Amino acid sequence: MPQPLRKNNYYSRNYYAAQNYAYDYANSGCNTGYANPFARPNINNNPYSNNVVMHPAPKRRAKRKLNPIKALFSFCFLASVVYYVIPYNFSLYFEPMILNRFLNKNIKLNAKEYIMPATKHFSNAELNGEKIFVPIRQSGKQMTPLAPSGRMLNLESELIDLSSKYPHLKPSIYVWDFTSSRSAEINSTETYPSASIIKLPILIELFRKSESLKKAGEKPIDLNSKLLFDEIHRTSGSGGLQYSKAGGYYTIDYLAKIMIQSSDNSATNMLLEEIGGMDALNSASRKWGLSSTQMSNWLPDLKGTNTVSTKDMATLLYNIDNPKFLNEKSKYMIKQYMSNVHNNTLLHAGLPKKAEILHKTGDIGTMLGDAGIIYAPNGRKYIAVVMVKRPFNDYSARDFIQQSSKIIYDNIVNNDFDY
């Protein structure tokens, strides 16, 4: 007996088509008892199937139960993506790369400001109105460099012993003996705040510029010509010109005199402007061969941004007598200014009364120094530059410089060749 169809079976659309065909065939009078030539073979051997192909129904997947742990993990992951990843990528990529292109489409990007930001502040050339950097052409140094034949080791040893008694001070010393061409050096190439010692290269450049103008066929700087003292030149610190009334005129000779002898800051700024400003002085220092001499601020430079080294200042003092660097008239005037400095409490205080000194002092809270050429009664001549970094306004730096001056004088003048 044939088995009835299971409930989970279904008839395809061929079943309904076959039923309709059989019904139409039977009613049309064509049913002669012969087999229907158009009927499909009974592949299922089912008499009730009427040549209809039966297909099993697909199995329905059972619904899975919700896993609360996985759901919680998925929710946390999605929340972290929404809270952290999307805002980060929006601000990092979408906003600057896409959104800002529409919001700031009228703004033009100057890539040079990002590639070379330092050109805003420092440059050594100019092209089409823009500041640029170019390689510096190396030329011969205009100053004769110091080339010692040896070191005064005994002197260096005594100076080191002296500095050990002042552990809170950091000295820099350079000594040059003209007779023996020997030197004594302690931290001599280190960069130190210049204070008023920077006025020495300003004075030198004033006369160098005058000589250059004369060589070029132009009118040199006349020391008797007058400069206007304006409010822009008035500055605090040392010197009495700051208390004068604006609008007055002063000769260059007078301004150079008070700049060196009474260390007048207002006069210094007037002369600095006359030689072309800080850029002109820095350019001259490079040409001279002074690697540590750099001016970054008009005076007073209480923070110590203007810098020198003791070796630089010794080199500058050495070349005052160099005829290829300064002519006789310039040398004479420079020595006149330097021979009457009012501050005699540093190198001068460590010398005997008969010794003479041409020098320039410097004094700010963090540094005290003196640079000079000393002439001994017996004809010996030497350069001494002593600069001391100190705790703010520490007076022991003055004592150190005085004692250093005495030690240097005794070693060079009284102990001729005991090096």
Side-chain angles (χ1 to χ4, degrees), residues 29-75:
C30 298
N31 188 4
T32 58
Y34 294 100
N36 186 354
F38 301 101
R40 294 182 180 183
N42 189 353
I43 60 176
N44 295 328
N45 295 323
N46 189 343
Y48 300 99
S49 66
N50 196 16
N51 296 328
V52 178
V53 178
M54 307 301 295
H55 298 278
K59 295 182 180 181
R60 297 181 179 178
R61 293 183 179 179
K63 293 184 178 180
R64 295 182 178 179
K65 294 182 179 181
L66 181 64
N67 189 331
I69 298 178
K70 290 184 177 180
L72 180 62
F73 177 79
S74 300
F75 175 78

Side-chain angles (χ1 to χ4, degrees), residues 184-237:
E185 305 177 40
I186 298 175
N187 302 324
S188 62
T189 59
E190 288 195 23
T191 300
Y192 272 56
S194 66
S196 290
I197 294 178
I198 197 68
K199 294 167 185 176
L200 269 181
I202 293 175
L203 179 67
I204 298 296
E205 176 57 17
L206 178 68
F207 285 93
R208 287 273 302 173
K209 182 178 180 180
S210 179
E211 292 180 14
S212 298
L213 291 172
K214 187 175 181 179
K215 289 179 181 178
E218 300 180 20
K219 184 180 179 180
I221 296 175
D222 184 2
L223 295 180
N224 294 319
S225 62
K226 295 183 178 181
L227 302 179
L228 173 65
F229 173 61
D230 206 349
E231 284 295 339
I232 195 173
H233 303 121
R234 191 189 305 277
T235 186
S236 60

Side-chain angles (χ1 to χ4, degrees), residues 56-309:
K59 295 182 180 181
R60 297 181 179 178
R61 293 183 179 179
K63 293 184 178 180
R64 295 182 178 179
K65 294 182 179 181
L66 181 64
N67 189 331
I69 298 178
K70 290 184 177 180
L72 180 62
F73 177 79
S74 300
F75 175 78
C76 293
F77 177 76
L78 181 61
S80 63
V81 169
V82 172
Y83 188 78
Y84 293 104
V85 179
I86 293 179
Y88 174 78
N89 285 277
F90 178 83
S91 60
L92 187 63
Y93 299 107
F94 181 78
E95 185 176 8
M97 296 177 62
I98 300 176
L99 185 61
N100 283 345
R101 292 179 181 269
F102 296 98
L103 298 179
N104 304 310
K105 59 183 179 180
N106 295 325
I107 299 177
K108 295 182 180 180
L109 176 65
N110 185 2
K112 181 183 176 182
E113 294 182 1
Y114 297 92
I115 298 174
M116 296 185 293
T119 53
K120 278 187 172 182
H121 312 284
F122 305 99
S123 63
N124 59 0
E126 190 170 321
L127 179 65
N128 294 330
E130 292 189 4
K131 295 181 177 180
I132 59 173
F133 288 115
V134 296
I136 299 176
R137 294 181 179 179
Q138 299 293 333
S139 58
K141 297 176 182 178
Q142 296 176 351
M143 284 186 175
T144 301
L146 293 171
S149 61
R151 299 281 287 271
M152 294 180 279
L153 299 180
N154 287 345
L155 175 57
E156 288 183 1
S157 178
E158 289 190 41
L159 292 173
I160 291 173
D161 290 341
L162 176 64
S163 63
S164 65
K165 299 177 181 178
Y166 298 88
H168 57 290
L169 302 179
K170 185 179 180 181
S172 174
I173 302 173
Y174 193 97
V175 180
W176 171 270
D177 180 22
F178 282 90
T179 302
S180 65
S181 297
R182 295 177 180 242
S183 69
E185 305 177 40
I186 298 175
N187 302 324
S188 62
T189 59
E190 288 195 23
T191 300
Y192 272 56
S194 66
S196 290
I197 294 178
I198 197 68
K199 294 167 185 176
L200 269 181
I202 293 175
L203 179 67
I204 298 296
E205 176 57 17
L206 178 68
F207 285 93
R208 287 273 302 173
K209 182 178 180 180
S210 179
E211 292 180 14
S212 298
L213 291 172
K214 187 175 181 179
K215 289 179 181 178
E218 300 180 20
K219 184 180 179 180
I221 296 175
D222 184 2
L223 295 180
N224 294 319
S225 62
K226 295 183 178 181
L227 302 179
L228 173 65
F229 173 61
D230 206 349
E231 284 295 339
I232 195 173
H233 303 121
R234 191 189 305 277
T235 186
S236 60
S238 57
L241 188 59
Q242 60 181 307
Y243 305 111
S244 301
K245 184 178 179 180
Y249 287 86
Y250 301 90
T251 64
I252 293 178
D253 176 61
Y254 173 75
L255 294 173
K257 179 180 178 181
I258 63 175
M259 176 180 71
I260 299 299
Q261 295 179 3
S262 59
S263 202
D264 195 293
N265 289 335
S266 299
T268 302
N269 288 341
M270 293 177 69
L271 293 178
L272 181 62
E273 184 180 60
E274 180 68 15
I275 66 174
M278 292 182 290
D279 290 341
L281 180 66
N282 293 334
S283 177
S285 298
R286 299 292 86 78
K287 293 177 182 177
W288 297 344
L290 306 182
S291 58
S292 300
T293 302
Q294 177 76 24
M295 193 169 190
S296 305
N297 265 323
W298 296 77
L299 299 182
D301 178 36
L302 300 179
K303 293 184 178 180
T305 57
N306 301 332
T307 60
V308 296
S309 69

Side-chain angles (χ1 to χ4, degrees), residues 172-175 309-310 313-314 317 347 370-372 383-387:
S172 174
I173 302 173
Y174 193 97
V175 180
S309 69
T310 54
M313 292 301 97
L317 293 173
L347 288 177
D370 200 352
I383 294 171
V385 184
V386 182
M387 302 178 71

